[in-house]
Amino acid sequence: MTTTEIKQSDFAQKEFKDFKRDLIHKRKQHGSLIPLLQSAQDSYGYIPEKVIHYISELVEIPAADIYGVITFYAQFRLKPLGKNVIRICEGTACHVNGAKSILRTLQDDLGVAVGETTDDGVFTLLSVACLGCCSLSPVIMINSDTHGNLTPDKTRKIIKKYKQETAKEVQHEGN
Amino acid sequence: MKEIKIGLATCGIAAGGQAVHEAFKKELKENLLDIPVKETGCMGTCYAEVLVELVDDSESHLYSKVTPDKVKRIVAEHIMGRKPVEEWIIKNKNIDKEAAFFKKQKQIVLRNCGVIDPGSIDDYIAHGGYQAIRKCLKEYTPEQVIEIITKSGLRGRGGGGFPTGLKWKLARQAQGDKKYVICNADEGDPGAFMDRSTLEGDPHSVLEGMMIAAYAIGSDEAYVYARAEYPLAVERLVNSIQQLEQKGFLGHNIFDSAMDFKIKIKEGAGAFVCGEETALMASIEGKRGLPRVRPPFPAQKGLWEKPTNINNVETYANVPWIILNGAEAFAAMGTEKSKGTKVFALAGKIAKSGLVEVPMGITINEIVYEIGGGIAGGKKFKAVQMGGPSGGTIPATQGDLKIDYDEITRTGAIMGSGGLIVLDETTCMVDLARFFLNFTQNESCGKCTFCRIGAKRMLEILDRITLGEGKEDDIQLLEDLAYKIKSGSLCGLGQTAPNPVLTTIKYFREEYETHIRQKKCPAHSCSALLTYTITADNCTGCTLCARKCPVHAISGEVKKVHTLDQALCIKCGLCFDACKFEAVLKN
């Protein structure tokens, strides 16, 4: 796979440029594979298969090995995320303070399991080991906003708000 | 008014700190007041966030639970009217509502957290920053530095408790022209946020500790391996390293000495096993984070096969204090074999959760009752969980136990990195063990068979016990598997993964037996072992539960009391979560 082929692919131009700049900067360093993958994910939101081959050629590591590294670490994704990413904290403090019922509520409300994206692409539900704000447990994070001291009812209200906002945006774009 | 400080670590931001920050800036601007609004780190009292400190020349006032709505009144009455809003203040010259929380604490690692602006190297320098490294370079040989750390009795704060001085000595003695220093900031235990708060509140003290370690072992290059889930901590580290470079504190001949030094940051990518030192180094090298056999230890063959010294965030943060205050001052605190202080993330069923730093030798009861204010909601103290997935549960009956590496290890738990989760009577011990095993089983890298498959089998057994399908010899089977996993695993993850199960069996065996024999959960926590009923007293007939029930076990007309058919109920708990009138009961 060559650079030209990637350029002609369906990736956005700007994203690709950002990524490529990073790539040139980092490839010479020792142990650059993980930072490169992180940079790819920052640009695309996930790691497209074409990028794996591209990186493979640049750093001279077989694509299969790169795939092994990607699937080893929880951070890397091979599929794009939904518009809103919900991260439910599964830390100890959250667990003993009722995270299970929050998870149940989210799964019931969104109709997806952990790791899945809703059919309309609006929500992706992920779990994390600990968000580190245990005094607010149970906690979820939606995009970069943290919501704490949750109850099932409070959780439903928050999701409703995000659903309404998305609906509004869709309508707006439609106009 | 000299300045306004707002606690903007992750917990402060999560509690709404940014909005308060904005509100202050707006309110000050509208009133044409020119007062600097500074960000600061975690002040420890997470239960009272958002915290705002108004600092005068002569005194300071600490406001708790500040919301944007309260800002207007604080600015109008306190700043413009010079009349502090006393009802919201938790600490000033006359008021000290949180004295109990701080009375038994001793802050060394957290000395600057909540005091300085973590984004400013000048603020750190003004508080004695980078004096310790200067002192080392000028007055001590590397061997003398190692001698001081050895004498202080500092032990690794990441959990293992290996003597830091000895670790440095081994790295110093190792042959090789290139040596590395690594800071393990991959704090992965669920329920632990000590290192995050330290990095967010005082990144420079960690970096200075690393410089001193580098001088001691003879290294010119260092890495901070930081957890990717801590974006703010990473941002503060990046910023701090840039400031160091601008000041010329990194590079060639730092502080006019013969020492060269540079620090790089590597972000982890989400793998708990990378907290293990050999797996961490594999990850820095860009590979899958698999641990390897030791020896050779990192001190002999570490990163890229070079001698390497690894310590964690809290260990390094202690170092500058020890150099400036002397090994004796540090060793004066604590017990015979555990010196200094330990930072704990106090959370769970506790009235006042937060970040606490206590001298070693303090008892569990002192932490829970005197610092933490006892159990939330007036419930009964059952146990504490220490050391997260590698640790164990210590029952309330052993509340007089002293915080000391060896005392805690004797109970079957470990000191761990510092998660201290308080549990009350509503916590099911079998479920808690299952929770931790589920975590370690997920995070097992898969290299060792016992850890990979054994943990999975243990989880299956715990699953069936919590579902009411436990068998009579399950406890024995769990113990048998646990000891085999401990002895058949290469790294700390597998060697300690069974600890939560073993300690809960040791201290709460009857709870396992009740689950297995009577199919009941004494803590009313395991859904499958509960019976859900609808009480006519509270039911308003809103139909919500009936609509939520996935198996149509609930019936009833609108505005009339509903009934639940036990024969159909799958005990998923959705009706209990859905009811707004406390009409669904579980027992």
Side-chain angles (χ1 to χ4, degrees):
Chain A
M1 175 128 347
T2 65
T3 322
T4 7
E5 274 176 55
I6 286 254
K7 261 185 188 165
Q8 287 159 356
S9 72
D10 50 2
F11 304 130
Q13 271 312 87
K14 187 195 162 293
E15 283 168 355
F16 176 69
K17 261 192 216 152
D18 285 351
F19 172 55
K20 204 178 146 206
R21 197 167 47 226
D22 236 46
L23 202 55
I24 291 161
H25 178 68
K26 283 178 182 159
R27 62 184 279 212
K28 300 269 184 235
Q29 297 170 11
H30 251 346
S32 60
L33 181 57
I34 291 173
L36 280 172
L37 292 170
Q38 282 167 334
S39 144
Q41 184 153 297
D42 280 349
S43 298
Y44 299 115
Y46 72 109
I47 301 171
E49 196 184 327
K50 287 185 179 181
V51 169
I52 299 177
H53 294 293
Y54 184 50
I55 293 177
S56 165
E57 202 159 277
L58 270 166
V59 294
E60 293 172 353
I61 296 173
D65 285 358
I66 298 179
Y67 185 78
V69 170
I70 291 171
T71 52
F72 184 83
Y73 294 100
Q75 189 191 15
F76 297 126
R77 292 178 299 269
L78 292 160
K79 280 183 195 159
L81 287 175
K83 190 171 175 304
N84 298 295
V85 179
I86 305 173
R87 290 185 168 84
I88 178 157
C89 179
E90 296 201 314
T92 321
C94 287
H95 180 77
V96 299
N97 279 323
K100 251 194 295 186
S101 69
I102 305 301
L103 178 62
R104 225 154 43 202
T105 307
L106 285 170
Q107 289 178 330
D108 175 59
D109 217 51
L110 302 171
V112 291
V114 170
E116 293 177 357
T117 302
T118 52
D119 289 340
D120 56 6
V122 177
F123 294 100
T124 297
L125 181 61
L126 301 175
S127 74
V128 292
C130 188
L131 286 170
C133 33
C134 306
S135 56
L136 298 170
S137 59
V139 180
I140 60 170
M141 203 167 155
I142 305 183
N143 306 326
S144 58
D145 292 327
T146 313
H147 304 268
N149 296 319
L150 294 174
T151 59
D153 205 38
K154 212 169 147 187
T155 311
R156 268 189 291 269
K157 281 187 185 139
I158 292 166
I159 297 300
K160 200 172 162 189
K161 215 182 86 199
Y162 278 88
K163 279 183 182 166
Q164 282 167 347
E165 272 169 25
T166 311
K168 242 187 250 166
E169 278 168 33
V170 171
Q171 209 175 24
H172 196 75
E173 279 162 22
N175 291 339
Chain B
M1 190 67 42
K2 208 171 101 196
E3 61 186 14
I4 297 170
K5 291 188 201 174
I6 302 181
L8 284 179
T10 296
C11 46
I13 293 172
Q18 288 293 9
V20 172
H21 191 200
E22 291 304 315
F24 263 106
K25 283 204 283 197
K26 183 167 162 269
E27 202 60 30
L28 292 173
K29 200 175 164 198
E30 277 177 13
N31 290 295
L32 305 171
L33 293 163
D34 187 23
I35 302 168
V37 184
K38 271 183 25 178
E39 287 185 21
T40 185
C42 179
M43 305 184 195
T45 49
C46 301
Y47 59 92
E49 296 280 6
V50 176
L51 291 157
V52 177
E53 192 177 0
L54 269 61
V55 187
D56 254 332
D57 287 328
S58 58
E59 62 172 328
S60 87
H61 302 266
L62 184 64
Y63 284 87
S64 80
K65 299 194 175 171
V66 181
T67 57
D69 304 340
K70 290 182 177 173
V71 171
K72 207 177 183 85
R73 192 170 148 202
I74 294 174
V75 172
E77 293 184 20
H78 188 151
I79 299 179
M80 298 171 75
R82 302 199 166 270
K83 227 182 127 255
V85 190
E86 291 195 343
E87 54 187 292
W88 295 337
I89 289 176
I90 54 169
K91 194 171 176 151
N92 66 13
K93 235 175 7 190
N94 309 316
I95 305 169
D96 197 356
K97 288 183 191 158
E98 297 310 321
F101 185 79
F102 288 106
K103 198 178 153 207
K104 295 230 159 163
Q105 294 198 47
K106 168 77 191 152
Q107 306 209 309
I108 291 179
V109 173
L110 305 176
R111 61 194 180 276
N112 291 326
C113 281
V115 178
I116 64 166
D117 177 353
S120 159
I121 189 171
D122 294 324
D123 215 9
Y124 179 67
I125 292 171
H127 284 80
Y130 295 104
Q131 289 300 322
I133 178 69
R134 285 176 204 265
K135 192 174 176 183
C136 289
L137 289 168
K138 221 188 232 168
E139 296 174 23
Y140 302 131
T141 63
E143 286 77 11
Q144 282 172 320
V145 173
I146 293 172
E147 184 61 28
I148 293 169
I149 299 300
T150 307
K151 256 202 208 151
S152 75
L154 178 65
R155 293 170 69 173
R157 296 292 193 248
F162 192 81
T164 308
L166 180 58
K167 207 174 203 179
W168 290 14
K169 195 175 168 187
L170 293 171
R172 171 93 207 153
Q173 287 167 347
Q175 296 297 317
D177 46 357
K178 180 81 184 175
K179 291 178 185 176
Y180 290 100
V181 163
I182 297 176
C183 174
N184 183 348
D186 192 43
E187 177 179 62
D189 284 6
F193 52 92
M194 305 76 51
D195 293 350
R196 191 211 72 210
S197 298
T198 309
L199 289 172
E200 287 177 356
D202 189 15
H204 282 291
S205 71
V206 180
L207 299 175
E208 188 178 358
M210 292 174 71
M211 280 183 189
I212 295 168
Y215 174 65
I217 72 161
S219 155
D220 65 351
E221 192 172 349
Y223 285 93
V224 183
Y225 187 86
R227 194 170 175 232
E229 284 94 334
Y230 288 172
L232 184 61
V234 172
E235 188 190 313
R236 297 237 158 111
L237 278 170
V238 171
N239 178 30
S240 299
I241 290 172
Q242 276 172 358
Q243 292 173 338
L244 283 171
E245 284 165 352
Q246 280 159 9
K247 289 248 178 220
F249 291 1
L250 287 177
H252 294 293
N253 304 104
I254 60 168
F255 303 106
D256 302 319
S257 72
M259 182 176 168
D260 297 344
F261 194 50
K262 58 182 172 187
I263 304 178
K264 289 179 187 162
I265 297 171
K266 283 273 173 173
E267 276 185 61
F272 177 68
V273 71
C274 291
E276 202 278 340
E277 52 188 21
T278 58
L280 187 151
M281 292 185 300
S283 182
I284 291 182
E285 291 171 10
K287 302 179 208 151
R288 288 165 72 103
L290 300 183
R292 60 156 174 81
V293 184
R294 292 177 302 180
F297 289 94
Q300 291 123 24
K301 263 188 181 185
L303 189 62
W304 288 299
E305 310 261 291
K306 306 286 183 202
T308 303
N309 178 69
I310 302 190
N311 289 118
N312 89 326
V313 170
E314 192 180 334
T315 314
Y316 284 126
N318 271 300
V319 169
W321 191 94
I322 294 172
I323 297 294
L324 291 178
N325 294 274
E328 292 75 18
F330 191 80
M333 284 174 285
T335 61
E336 198 197 332
K337 286 187 176 162
S338 303
K339 303 294 187 190
T341 61
K342 179 76 194 89
V343 182
F344 287 104
L346 187 60
K349 307 280 192 177
I350 188 95
K352 295 176 176 176
S353 59
L355 198 67
V356 302
E357 183 171 0
V358 289
M360 296 277 188
I362 196 171
T363 67
I364 290 174
N365 277 342
E366 283 175 285
I367 296 178
V368 172
Y369 290 106
E370 295 181 38
I371 295 175
I375 305 298
K379 294 231 168 61
K380 211 174 132 210
F381 175 34
K382 186 172 183 178
V384 290
Q385 209 286 341
M386 285 183 73
S390 316
T393 309
I394 302 172
T397 49
Q398 296 200 23
D400 288 331
L401 189 84
K402 285 190 163 74
I403 299 292
D404 170 293
Y405 284 99
D406 310 290
E407 292 275 316
I408 293 172
T409 306
R410 217 162 289 142
T411 67
I414 59 163
M415 176 81 83
S417 56
L420 207 160
I421 310 287
V422 180
L423 311 168
D424 70 7
E425 55 197 302
T426 63
T427 314
C428 171
M429 292 301 162
V430 185
D431 177 62
L432 188 74
R434 197 202 69 83
F435 163 77
F436 281 119
L437 209 70
N438 183 43
F439 177 81
T440 31
Q441 189 266 135
N442 263 326
E443 293 294 341
S444 169
C445 77
K447 183 167 180 167
C448 309
T449 317
F450 278 94
C451 177
R452 183 181 71 240
I453 302 175
K456 177 90 180 155
R457 292 289 96 83
M458 280 181 80
L459 180 63
E460 285 165 1
I461 297 168
L462 289 167
D463 267 336
R464 72 173 177 241
I465 295 176
T466 54
L467 289 170
E469 293 158 12
K471 295 174 193 161
E472 192 56 41
D473 57 356
D474 272 353
I475 299 178
Q476 210 191 339
L477 192 55
L478 280 173
E479 286 177 323
D480 185 39
L481 277 167
Y483 289 114
K484 285 182 177 142
I485 294 169
K486 277 171 89 85
S487 55
S489 302
L490 255 185
C491 85
L493 191 149
Q495 287 160 8
T496 60
N499 285 352
V501 181
L502 287 174
T503 50
T504 46
I505 291 178
K506 183 174 173 188
Y507 299 113
F508 299 95
R509 197 182 187 100
E510 73 290 346
E511 228 171 281
Y512 279 82
E513 289 167 350
T514 312
H515 278 78
I516 294 170
R517 292 181 191 152
Q518 293 159 33
K519 314 288 177 208
K520 282 275 168 209
C521 173
H524 297 311
S525 163
C526 297
S527 299
L529 303 182
L530 298 172
T531 313
Y532 290 89
T533 48
I534 297 171
T535 167
D537 297 344
N538 291 349
C539 182
T540 62
C542 73
T543 74
L544 190 60
C545 59
R547 278 182 282 142
K548 282 284 165 202
C549 180
V551 291
H552 308 290
I554 300 173
S555 54
E557 289 171 41
V558 183
K559 292 192 180 162
K560 281 187 184 154
V561 174
H562 282 47
T563 51
L564 197 161
D565 185 347
Q566 297 298 340
L568 293 175
C569 179
I570 55 163
K571 299 169 184 183
C572 66
L574 278 174
C575 54
F576 181 83
D577 296 338
C579 184
K580 294 173 182 171
F581 308 99
E582 292 177 16
V584 179
L585 305 178
K586 60 175 180 183
N587 53 49

